[in-house]
Amino acid sequence: MDTRNATLALLKEITEPDTLGEINASLYSLDDKDSLAVAVAASEGIARLEAVRFRALAQLSRRRDGAGGVVQEVAFELSFVDSHAGAMVAAAEALTTRLPRTLGLMDKGQVSGFGAMKVAAATAWLSDENARAADALLEDRLPRKNSEQIRKAAGHAAMTVDRAGAAKRAEHHRAGRRLSLRHGETGVASIEVEDGPVEKVAAAYTRIDREARALKTGGETRTLDQLRADVALDLLLGGQGGTSERAEVFLYMDLATYLGLNDDPAELAGHGHIPAELGRHIASGPNTVLRRIITDPLSGQVLDLGRNRYRPTAGLGEFVRVRDRECRRPGCHRPAQACDLDHSVPWQFGGHTDAADLIDLCRRDHRLKGEPGWTYRLDGDGTLTITTPTGRSYDSAPPPLHEPRPEVSSAEEPPPF
């Protein structure tokens, strides 16, 4: 048996479903003390398996010489969002080179993978030599600590081994500032300025809080938390705080749903499905621009765009963005309106371009397409097949605007818009 098959066989044996099934069945007879003991043992086992995963990811990165496409391939294969996949790969590289003692604690089941990632992040700014010194200091301080305790301990150790580098560390973190968008449950999302300069973040919060409190008059029913959120969003959209502002979002909704004839879910590009009532509320805004979209009733796929709207059409590019809705790389949900239009195969000078040749890719995935070993194929039905350097393939198809309607005729329900 070769090394690959032997390794996979050992892992399968460790996590054999029948064995785990027997363990699960026996849990019902345990008392409180034994139940906690089993939970602890399971956590230790998970930590050991996570150490195996980190080593495997580090090996993949080494074999690819740290190519950027590794993160996307890990995101594909492990079903991670890209940001988490990137953090996993970075931690794997650090643990297997600069932080061997922390990795050893994982092997003993004493530090979780999440805790180890905190150590990797806190020591990322250190030189290799100083990172190993911090790793040595932490060996006795990490076991049985929660992730927040580990974060603080790792930060302290990093400062201890490189006191003169405190300014560099601050510069490193401030240089990493970014704005992130996280979609939550139906109809809500969060926006966060991560690692912003502390003096500006504190000043911004003070201003938001002051304006929110000024709005908290006798007739105001919103809580202070709600007012702070509303003021912050209004300020970001160019207002003065407290009142609604015009924003551009892309909402897909069936005409019958808009008219209240049914309650089929609407879809907000980049977020996902939202309840019909919320979709109607968004669509009824005073600055809403409505656009008619012609679909194939049998498949729900977009066929054409109506020309009646308040602004002139942008033609082919607009059609492709409406059809795709989001970046076509599976797992990426950046709205198509923020993506690049790209030819699925290299365009030849003088060649003809139509919608069947074009896809939407965000800037990062557009660049990924040009990396060695990545191949993209677009079929006639719009299905995009991406093959990674390891030969794994993933499919992406434009989502239908509505569920297939085999019984719909031209004299029945009007097309969606």
Side-chain angles (χ1 to χ4, degrees):
M1 183 180 297
D2 59 32
T3 302
R4 173 186 180 276
N5 290 334
T7 302
L8 293 176
L10 284 172
L11 279 173
K12 183 177 180 181
E13 182 180 344
I14 293 171
T15 57
E16 178 61 45
D18 290 342
T19 302
L20 294 176
E22 292 177 11
I23 293 173
N24 288 330
S26 69
L27 295 179
Y28 296 102
S29 62
L30 301 181
D31 60 19
D32 295 359
K33 183 178 180 180
D34 290 339
S35 295
L36 281 174
V38 170
V40 169
S43 294
E44 291 174 349
I46 290 170
R48 295 185 181 103
L49 286 174
E50 287 180 318
V52 172
R53 182 169 64 182
F54 278 131
R55 289 188 174 96
L57 294 179
Q59 173 67 0
L60 174 65
S61 184
R62 279 194 295 271
R63 289 183 57 84
R64 297 281 180 75
D65 294 324
V70 169
V71 170
Q72 277 68 44
E73 192 163 4
V74 169
F76 274 143
E77 198 65 20
L78 301 186
S79 299
F80 287 158
V81 296
D82 291 344
S83 58
H84 186 61
M88 288 285 295
V89 172
E93 293 169 345
L95 288 165
T96 55
T97 56
R98 295 153 43 97
L99 304 170
R101 300 190 187 213
T102 301
L103 186 60
L105 292 174
M106 293 184 67
D107 290 329
K108 298 175 183 178
Q110 295 179 343
V111 172
S112 69
F114 186 60
M117 291 175 70
K118 294 289 186 182
V119 177
T123 58
W125 62 282
L126 294 173
S127 66
D128 288 351
E129 180 182 358
N130 285 335
R132 293 189 184 95
D135 189 43
L137 283 177
L138 290 168
E139 188 170 17
D140 296 329
R141 304 178 187 180
L142 299 184
R144 309 304 178 191
K145 297 296 192 296
N146 64 39
S147 59
E148 184 62 12
Q149 290 172 316
I150 289 175
R151 181 191 68 79
K152 290 181 178 180
H156 182 264
M159 291 281 288
T160 299
V161 301
D162 188 7
R163 295 184 186 278
K168 178 183 176 183
R169 179 173 184 249
E171 181 182 355
H172 170 81
H173 284 297
R174 289 161 73 102
R177 62 190 179 276
R178 57 201 175 278
L179 185 71
S180 63
L181 173 65
R182 176 176 55 81
H183 290 285
E185 299 301 324
T186 302
V188 297
S190 300
I191 190 169
E192 179 183 0
V193 177
E194 300 183 59
D195 294 334
V198 63
E199 69 280 7
K200 289 188 176 182
V201 172
Y205 183 86
T206 298
R207 177 183 176 184
I208 291 167
D209 181 66
R210 182 178 64 246
E211 297 195 18
R213 291 179 183 277
L215 291 171
K216 190 63 176 171
T217 60
E220 178 58 67
T221 60
R222 289 174 291 177
T223 67
L224 268 175
D225 281 337
Q226 291 172 331
L227 284 167
R228 290 188 193 101
D230 292 346
V231 168
L233 289 173
D234 178 53
L235 289 171
L236 285 171
L237 293 170
Q240 298 301 315
T243 59
S244 61
E245 287 290 324
R246 181 174 179 177
E248 186 176 61
V249 296
F250 295 84
L251 177 72
Y252 295 77
M253 182 166 51
D254 189 287
L255 176 59
T257 303
Y258 175 72
L259 296 175
L261 302 178
N262 66 39
D263 285 322
D264 290 346
E267 184 177 350
L268 196 64
H271 176 79
H273 289 94
I274 60 175
E277 184 175 353
L278 178 56
R280 286 191 286 265
H281 171 74
I282 295 172
S284 63
N287 292 317
T288 297
V289 175
L290 302 180
R291 183 69 182 277
R292 188 169 183 261
I293 301 174
I294 313 301
T295 63
D296 181 342
L298 297 180
S299 67
Q301 293 290 346
V302 176
L303 294 180
D304 193 14
L305 304 184
R307 299 304 178 225
N308 295 324
R309 66 176 301 183
Y310 300 152
R311 295 186 297 271
T313 179
L316 179 62
E318 187 175 25
F319 174 85
V320 175
R321 291 189 171 99
V322 168
R323 179 199 66 192
D324 289 351
R325 282 188 266 185
E326 296 177 350
C327 173
R328 288 292 303 279
R329 201 263 291 173
C332 182
H333 300 289
R334 184 174 292 275
Q337 286 74 21
C339 292
D340 296 336
L341 280 177
D342 184 49
H343 289 80
S344 57
V345 295
W347 183 74
Q348 301 295 324
F349 180 77
H352 174 70
T353 295
D354 59 32
D357 302 320
L358 295 172
I359 53 176
D360 281 290
L361 293 173
C362 71
R363 183 59 53 85
R364 178 200 57 211
D365 290 315
H366 194 168
R367 291 169 177 160
L368 176 68
K369 179 172 174 280
E371 288 200 9
W374 291 81
T375 60
Y376 287 57
R377 187 187 76 245
L378 188 64
D379 294 335
D381 64 357
T383 299
L384 175 67
T385 300
I386 300 177
T387 303
T388 69
T390 52
R392 302 295 292 259
S393 294
Y394 302 87
D395 292 336
S396 162
L401 191 56
H402 57 75
E403 293 298 320
R405 298 169 179 157
E407 303 301 323
V408 172
S409 68
S410 60
E412 293 178 354
E413 184 177 317
F417 67 89

